[in-house]
Amino acid sequence: MLIKDKLKNKKPLISFEIFPPKKDYPVETIYNTIDALNDMKPDFISVTYGAGGSTKDTTVEIASFIKSKYNLSPLAHLTCLTSTKEEIEEILESLKASGVKNILALRGDHPQESTYKGPNHYKYAKDLIRQIRKRDEFCIGAACYPEKHLECKSLYKDLVHLKEKVDEGVDFLITQLFFDNEIFYRFKERADKLNINTPILAGILPVLNRNQIEKITSLTGCTLPKKFIRILEKYEHQPEALKEAGIAYAIEQIIDLLSWGIDGIHVYTMNRPKTTRRILESIRTIRGVLTNEKVS
Ligand code: FAD
């Protein structure tokens, strides 16, 4: 099913993000994770696309597996910086052949070496979206950044670029992770003012250890609220306590977003179904009340 149709029929959606196994591991090593995640009845599972297209084939293979084994909607991420238009067309063909109809269209991050290789390569996600939209057979998602994209000088400019991207035919947006819901609510108000009316799913990451947070803040530039920093400092040397507090923090964030009326929650699972289950169990009744569905 197309995610845009799901969004018309039911809100909030609950979705999970996974990443393919590293290059030297067989693709099957992810199947147990998917099995455990599928038990939690997500509305869809998204599969990331490795930097520079490094997991090109496995992303398609895993998305196809999700579709054929569970009849669950997969969302295949696709980046464009390092692929030619012809290569992108080939990937679109293999997604179509596998019955994968939802694509998260992204630019990707600049690798170390120079990337833009000429007119046969795209510079921005909106160019990729234009190419996908021409085929008129995919539901298209895109990324958005409540605290602006790291490369952009201001949130206003980033929102103008977001509007251009959405106008190319985006059906829904997923946010980069954030830890302060108020920042997201302000972002949503500013997006509304620019007539960015696309449904937005909030990307939530349960933080489980200190290293993870250092990496994330340097990659995304996201703000850490004081109460979050207090948790990090207090339990820095007690990994189990930090993990518990990180999960509780994510649950609190999700409950607030659901009460606010968010279109969907997208959990960055980091391929950890046990953590994801703890979150989902904590919101089981709320999820049931909001969607009018019995969730086991
Ligand atoms: P764009 O929307 O193209 O924006 C990139 C930058 O260009 C922004 O600063 C924007 O303001 C600017 N810009 C846009 N248009 C213009 C213009 N006309 N003139 C000047 N500047 C402009 N990366 C992966 O490699 N694989 C993944 O699977 C993956 N999944 C992701 C999932 C989510 C939910 C998110 C939020 C990010 C994901 N990323 C992934 C990371 C993403 O590829 C990077 O954040 C990348 O740097 C930007 O991608 P984008 O699609 O947002 O780019």
Side-chain angles (χ1 to χ4, degrees):
M1 190 175 186
L2 301 181
I3 292 169
K4 66 176 177 185
D5 293 333
K6 279 187 182 252
L7 279 160
K8 277 181 207 148
N9 298 330
K10 174 185 167 189
K11 274 183 202 166
L13 298 190
I14 300 287
S15 55
F16 301 148
E17 179 172 306
I18 57 169
F19 50 82
K22 287 202 178 105
K23 238 168 134 197
D24 299 332
Y25 290 82
V27 69
E28 293 76 24
T29 53
I30 189 80
Y31 290 171
N32 284 344
T33 301
I34 298 173
D35 209 48
L37 290 173
N38 177 62
D39 264 2
M40 292 169 237
K41 299 194 172 40
D43 292 289
F44 66 89
I45 294 183
S46 86
V47 188
T48 65
Y49 194 82
S54 58
T55 62
K56 182 170 78 178
D57 296 329
T58 33
T59 300
V60 177
E61 192 178 338
I62 295 167
S64 165
F65 173 82
I66 292 170
K67 165 91 181 116
S68 59
K69 171 134 192 227
Y70 303 104
N71 198 24
L72 177 65
S73 305
L75 169 66
H77 297 209
L78 175 61
T79 67
C80 63
L81 260 188
T82 55
S83 300
T84 63
K85 294 172 191 176
E86 290 73 22
E87 283 164 348
I88 287 165
E89 209 50 43
E90 275 172 31
I91 299 167
L92 296 179
E93 272 306 315
S94 55
L95 285 170
K96 183 185 171 187
S98 311
V100 178
K101 293 188 173 160
N102 302 292
I103 300 177
L104 191 68
L106 301 147
R107 187 198 69 176
D109 284 318
H110 288 285
Q112 303 301 57
E113 73 272 23
S114 143
T115 41
Y116 181 66
K117 299 198 176 72
N120 226 21
H121 283 76
Y122 293 133
K123 259 182 149 169
Y124 301 115
K126 67 176 176 185
D127 307 317
L128 171 65
I129 291 161
R130 194 176 308 124
Q131 179 174 346
I132 303 173
R133 184 51 75 210
K134 271 191 203 145
R135 299 176 64 114
D136 206 23
E137 57 201 348
F138 293 105
C139 167
I140 305 176
C144 66
Y145 302 82
E147 300 184 65
K148 83 172 184 60
H149 183 253
L150 211 53
E151 288 165 31
C152 201
K153 288 217 164 69
S154 72
L155 179 58
Y156 177 74
K157 270 196 178 161
D158 204 32
L159 276 164
V160 170
H161 297 147
L162 179 63
K163 169 73 177 153
E164 288 168 10
K165 180 159 82 171
V166 166
D167 287 349
E168 290 293 345
V170 169
D171 297 305
F172 65 95
L173 293 165
I174 303 182
T175 73
Q176 178 162 269
L177 59 96
F178 57 88
F179 296 106
D180 183 344
N181 289 356
E182 296 306 323
I183 290 178
F184 171 76
Y185 302 144
R186 286 200 293 276
F187 166 80
K188 177 73 173 86
E189 274 172 25
R190 294 182 71 170
D192 285 347
K193 282 192 187 138
L194 288 175
N195 285 323
I196 300 171
N197 303 316
T198 321
I200 304 181
L201 281 68
I204 298 295
L205 176 84
V207 168
L208 304 177
N209 59 62
R210 180 97 203 200
N211 292 347
Q212 190 191 10
I213 196 69
E214 274 158 13
K215 199 167 160 204
I216 286 161
T217 41
S218 75
L219 279 175
T220 64
C222 67
T223 306
L224 300 181
K226 278 187 186 153
K227 64 175 177 178
F228 190 82
I229 294 172
R230 272 196 298 275
I231 290 174
L232 288 178
E233 287 175 351
K234 184 84 180 166
Y235 306 114
E236 186 175 11
H237 303 297
Q238 281 103 6
E240 281 309 308
L242 180 57
K243 187 172 159 186
E244 191 169 293
I247 293 172
Y249 192 93
I251 293 168
E252 194 187 315
Q253 246 194 304
I254 291 172
I255 292 174
D256 179 54
L257 286 159
L258 292 173
S259 312
W260 176 85
I262 191 79
D263 296 315
I265 300 287
H266 187 67
V267 183
Y268 293 113
T269 71
M270 306 302 286
N271 294 2
R272 290 171 186 259
K274 278 190 193 151
T275 305
T276 312
R277 181 170 288 285
R278 281 180 65 182
I279 294 175
L280 269 280
E281 276 173 358
S282 301
I283 60 161
R284 186 195 292 141
T285 310
I286 294 174
R287 190 180 173 194
V289 166
L290 293 176
T291 58
N292 251 339
E293 277 179 7
K294 201 165 178 298
V295 188
S296 56

